[in-house]
Amino acid sequence: MTEAPESAGPNGRAHTRYTPGTPCWVSLMVHDMAATQAFYEELFGWEFQPGPAQLGPYVRALLDGQEVAGIGRLPPDRHLPVAWTPYLASDDVDLTAETVRLCGGTVGVGPLEAGDAGRLAIGSDPSGAVFGVWQAAAHLGTGITGAPGTPAWNELLTFETAAVAKFYETVFGYEEKRAAAGPDEVTLCLDGRPVAGVRGAGHALPRDRGPHWLTYFEVVDTEEAAERVTGLGGQVVIPAHDGAHGRTATVTDPEGARFALIQGPC
């Protein structure tokens, strides 16, 4: 998912600056931050430290001292879905936001400053799937990958891939890699390197969710991690099964945020 590794070892790979278009961060907005932090601390071993004050109540999750994800509190008067949101790197978030609009997407938040950390915007593609854009300053994004508890992959689940994949290609400069036959799936690449996926689910797309991005987190054992999810108050949506990138399961946390567990290299 990332590039420019600084080091490799048993505790994962550390990273420096992300190429524009690369998923560089994931963030979750919830109602009960304390309960959500307790859930992910038990599930992934995360620790937490305060994030930028400009974002309201917000913490960054740490693993081995490296930042891996963010969790913030939803305003009590806003009835928004609780969901993990991937952020895509940009060298100019204002230009990217304008391109999103010109290509049929919408920008709901920003662009705005997040202190000295960077500059962000949150938008949605023409199908309605929400994503973020991050222009790094002091905060480059996810600091470590390739270890249990870190983001491993991001996949867009949508009705069909053709039009929406073209949107992301135009905005972020991806190359499209499509299988010659089989399911309606596209891999988005930068310089020949896979960075994200798009999967057309047609009528199988959950009606209560609509098109959405799904973040995969690496685990040692998918079945064991899924059992821990249910024991901590979450739910298993799709039980563990073998996929193209490894053994995966789709789950939700206690507030209903959907994410995937993956065992094996992505």
Side-chain angles (χ1 to χ4, degrees), residues 36-58:
T36 299
Q37 288 174 239
F39 171 85
Y40 287 101
E41 180 180 5
E42 287 294 324
L43 181 61
F44 293 139
W46 289 351
E47 299 176 334
F48 299 93
Q49 68 178 18
Q54 291 84 351
L55 301 180
Y58 187 83

Side-chain angles (χ1 to χ4, degrees), residues 8-264:
N11 295 322
R13 299 182 299 276
H15 295 272
T16 54
R17 186 167 294 275
Y18 287 79
T19 300
T22 307
C24 63
W25 187 245
V26 289
S27 190
L28 174 65
M29 300 297 286
V30 299
H31 300 286
D32 189 335
M33 285 185 62
T36 299
Q37 288 174 239
F39 171 85
Y40 287 101
E41 180 180 5
E42 287 294 324
L43 181 61
F44 293 139
W46 289 351
E47 299 176 334
F48 299 93
Q49 68 178 18
Q54 291 84 351
L55 301 180
Y58 187 83
V59 295
R60 290 177 180 157
L62 307 179
L63 193 66
D64 292 335
Q66 298 279 353
E67 298 173 347
V68 294
I71 297 175
R73 191 173 70 202
L74 284 167
D77 58 339
R78 299 287 297 275
H79 299 287
L80 300 172
V82 177
W84 281 101
T85 301
Y87 282 73
L88 309 176
S90 172
D91 284 341
D92 186 336
V93 70
D94 295 83
L95 178 59
T96 301
E98 182 60 26
T99 307
V100 166
R101 295 187 186 99
L102 291 173
C103 292
T106 61
V107 177
V109 176
L112 57 84
E113 299 289 340
D116 62 355
R119 191 164 170 79
L120 68 87
I122 299 175
S124 58
D125 65 31
S127 74
V130 176
F131 63 94
V133 182
W134 181 252
Q135 181 181 338
H139 174 64
L140 299 179
T142 302
I144 183 173
T145 59
T150 64
W153 185 246
N154 287 279
E155 181 179 61
L156 172 62
L157 302 178
T158 190
F159 294 111
E160 57 84 27
T161 64
V164 74
K166 185 60 64 179
F167 165 84
Y168 286 98
E169 289 170 31
T170 304
V171 175
F172 294 103
Y174 299 130
E175 306 113 33
E176 179 182 310
K177 182 178 179 181
R178 186 181 294 271
D184 183 18
E185 296 181 357
V186 172
T187 301
L188 302 177
C189 302
L190 290 170
D191 299 322
R193 176 178 50 84
V195 296
V198 183
R199 178 153 56 95
H203 295 299
L205 196 69
R207 294 196 174 195
D208 63 330
R209 309 273 318 167
H212 62 279
W213 280 92
L214 182 69
T215 297
Y216 289 69
F217 292 95
E218 185 171 332
V219 294
V220 174
D221 184 304
T222 301
E223 277 89 352
E224 189 272 336
E227 287 180 9
R228 273 192 288 139
V229 165
T230 58
L232 293 168
Q235 294 184 343
V236 175
V237 179
I238 301 176
H241 62 283
D242 292 322
H245 301 294
R247 192 157 180 80
T248 67
T250 303
V251 300
T252 66
D253 67 19
E255 286 207 19
R258 188 172 298 207
F259 60 100
L261 309 167
I262 184 164
Q263 173 186 334

